[in-house]
Amino acid sequence: MKKRVLALTMAAALTTSLFTGCGAGGTDKDEGAAQANGDKVTLRMSYWNSEDTVSALLDYLKTAVPEVEIEYQFIDNGNYNTIVDTQLSADEGPDIICESPASALKHAKLGYLEKLDDLAGLYSNAGTNVYSYDGSTYALPGISWFEGIYFNKDLFEKNKIELPKTFDEYIGVCKKFKELGIKPLAAGLMSWEPMLKNSMAFVTAEYLSTDEGRNFGSDFREGKVKMNGTWNPYIEKWSETIKEGIYTKDMLGIDHAQALDEFATGTAAMFCSGPWDYEAIMAKNPDLKIDMMPFYGTKPSEGWLIGGPGCGFAVNAKSKHADLAHKVLEAISTVDGQKALWENNKGGSSYLEGAKFDIPEAYQSAASALNAGNVYCPWNEWGDAGDVHKDYGLQFQSYLDGQDLSTTLGNVDAAVEELLSK
């Protein structure tokens, strides 16, 4: 399916091009007249994931809401917030907006989003609470996302390497693969995401999931605690992934697609990602046998996965077709709608009451973590400071390149102070 990819060269030109079309600032064509004539009304939907991650959902919506034509707009994650913020501030933008918990909070405070309390009652609190503000819900949770460590089953079995159950055992597994001349972990560190998620998964297992650390998120978003001075001992331990050459500086020149290819072709034994990459991996190597393990701390446990509610579907308060956008969200908020959304995101779970899915074979080794509810995304708890997770990822690129830990975490704290001051 064709992907609409936005080439980002000049912000002004970009914004102008995105304002055109059938969104909030688009055509003045009368919706009622269009439907009376049998014409479809075009609604724009923006998302930071490519169209193939929602292709089954889009097909379902053609039948469920036949009077609507969805114009899917993929915007790269690195520029998504900037572009959508610019559009909404000008009373423009997509009719249906995929929101992160942090952006939903920000846009709700600014009055950019419609309240969705009527539909929110169909979902569990675990899915809607991160999209709530001042007693109302402003986005509906999509299929939960999670990320763990994909591994090549044949490479593990052929070399008689057992799956790890602790962080130290994981380091040992990586050393064994290195001794065999096999790259232990493929990682595209041109992106700020891989080390962000990997390190935070370790901190979750060691600290955030404990009695000592369970209030860190709520305190952090209020500026009561800092990372520097709190996270240091956990990151120092996690840094064995750098000291042992699992993460290397040359990976800063490798992108996500290259890392995926290394794993799919058997060059690397492991690859950190989630269900969204499964089809791409199998398309490159249909014979590859893969499974997923969770991330571990130093003590034996069920393990942890980085994840939580995925994209939250929100309605632009300035949409000329808000009623139809709401109708689309009604269709998504059915068991059939959730099944269609899950089709391209297999492995995740639904927060809609009554929608249950089996765990696919490719995630069986992570089943214990999933069943235990050990799926957590730290920055979802950070409120107005949530967007700092990108700064964290960028700082960890510098950390890999030689920046000291105190400076790395201190720079994240400074970014949080700036966000909270606004």
Side-chain angles (χ1 to χ4, degrees):
M1 187 173 290
K2 184 177 180 181
K3 301 177 183 177
R4 297 177 177 88
V5 183
L6 305 179
L8 305 174
T9 53
M10 296 178 60
L14 226 179
T15 303
T16 300
S17 69
L18 291 176
F19 283 166
T20 61
C22 302
T27 178
D28 290 326
K29 183 177 182 180
D30 182 73
E31 176 183 320
Q35 293 180 47
N37 293 330
D39 296 334
K40 290 179 179 289
V41 173
T42 300
L43 300 183
R44 262 198 301 143
M45 176 190 289
S46 65
Y47 197 6
W48 55 82
N49 279 352
S50 57
E51 188 172 341
D52 55 10
T53 64
V54 290
S55 60
L57 175 66
L58 296 178
D59 288 342
Y60 162 77
L61 291 175
K62 290 177 183 177
T63 302
V65 196
E67 63 270 39
V68 167
E69 180 75 29
I70 300 293
E71 178 187 329
Y72 189 81
Q73 187 173 64
F74 163 69
I75 306 174
D76 180 77
N77 192 32
N79 303 280
Y80 188 88
N81 288 339
T82 300
I83 292 170
V84 173
D85 285 353
T86 302
Q87 293 177 344
L88 292 177
S89 66
D91 291 343
E92 299 283 349
D95 303 280
I96 299 171
I97 309 164
C98 287
E99 298 271 11
S100 69
S103 66
L105 175 63
K106 175 173 61 178
H107 293 158
K109 286 183 176 180
L110 293 171
Y112 293 156
L113 305 179
E114 291 270 292
K115 293 181 180 180
L116 299 172
D117 296 333
D118 56 334
L119 293 176
L122 300 173
Y123 295 83
S124 68
N125 289 335
T128 57
N129 62 6
V130 297
Y131 297 113
S132 298
Y133 166 66
D134 198 24
S136 289
T137 301
Y138 290 86
L140 303 177
I143 298 300
S144 69
W145 68 274
F146 64 84
E147 177 164 326
I149 308 173
Y150 279 120
F151 64 93
N152 184 320
K153 293 175 71 174
D154 284 340
L155 284 179
F156 272 75
E157 292 171 5
K158 177 183 176 181
N159 294 291
K160 298 180 179 179
I161 296 177
E162 295 185 3
L163 294 179
K165 291 298 182 183
T166 66
F167 177 78
D168 291 326
E169 289 180 6
Y170 168 74
I171 295 294
V173 164
C174 291
K175 288 181 177 180
K176 289 179 181 178
F177 278 117
K178 287 185 68 177
E179 292 169 359
L180 292 167
I182 299 171
K183 190 172 188 176
L185 182 70
L189 301 189
M190 283 181 67
S191 167
W192 47 267
E193 292 192 56
M195 287 195 297
L196 157 80
K197 294 173 180 175
N198 195 301
S199 61
M200 284 198 182
F202 179 79
V203 177
T204 296
E206 287 290 287
Y207 173 62
L208 300 177
S209 61
T210 67
D211 289 341
E212 181 185 3
R214 65 181 178 181
N215 292 325
F216 178 86
S218 57
D219 290 342
F220 191 60
R221 69 172 176 249
E222 295 176 11
K224 295 179 179 178
V225 295
K226 296 183 182 297
M227 277 192 184
N228 192 27
T230 306
W231 283 31
N232 305 60
Y234 311 111
I235 296 299
E236 285 171 359
K237 176 62 178 177
W238 172 84
S239 296
E240 289 182 23
T241 58
I242 297 174
K243 296 172 184 175
E244 297 296 340
I246 300 163
Y247 285 125
T248 57
K249 290 185 180 181
D250 67 289
M251 291 178 174
L252 294 170
I254 297 175
D255 64 22
H256 180 80
Q258 290 172 297
L260 186 150
D261 189 69
E262 286 182 339
F263 176 68
T265 57
T267 302
M270 293 173 284
F271 176 58
C272 297
S273 188
W276 54 87
D277 271 332
Y278 176 80
E279 291 184 6
I281 293 169
M282 300 313 296
K284 286 184 175 292
N285 188 355
D287 297 325
L288 186 65
K289 296 178 181 179
I290 65 174
D291 197 346
M292 178 183 285
M293 71 179 83
F295 299 98
Y296 290 104
T298 56
K299 298 177 182 178
S301 72
E302 303 294 349
W304 285 84
L305 299 163
I306 286 288
C311 155
F313 293 96
V315 174
N316 186 342
K318 297 294 184 179
S319 170
K320 294 182 183 298
H321 311 300
D323 288 347
L324 280 178
H326 194 278
K327 192 171 182 179
V328 170
L329 266 58
E330 285 181 6
I332 295 174
S333 301
T334 63
V335 172
D336 286 342
Q338 293 293 295
K339 285 181 179 178
L341 183 56
W342 181 81
E343 185 63 31
N344 300 115
N345 299 274
K346 291 180 178 179
S349 59
S350 173
Y351 294 96
L352 184 76
E353 298 294 342
K356 304 294 182 183
F357 310 113
D358 294 330
I359 297 175
E361 187 67 28
Y363 310 104
Q364 286 303 307
S365 292
S368 294
L370 288 167
N371 291 332
N374 290 359
V375 182
Y376 179 66
C377 179
W379 60 91
N380 277 353
E381 281 199 77
W382 296 352
D384 291 331
D387 282 345
V388 83
H389 74 285
K390 180 177 179 180
D391 297 85
Y392 179 104
L394 293 171
Q395 287 299 319
F396 268 68
Q397 288 175 320
S398 298
Y399 180 56
L400 175 61
D401 203 31
Q403 180 174 271
D404 69 86
L405 181 56
S406 181
T407 299
T408 298
L409 296 178
N411 287 343
V412 177
D413 289 331
V416 170
E417 288 182 11
E418 183 177 355
L419 282 172
L420 295 182
S421 71
K422 295 178 179 179

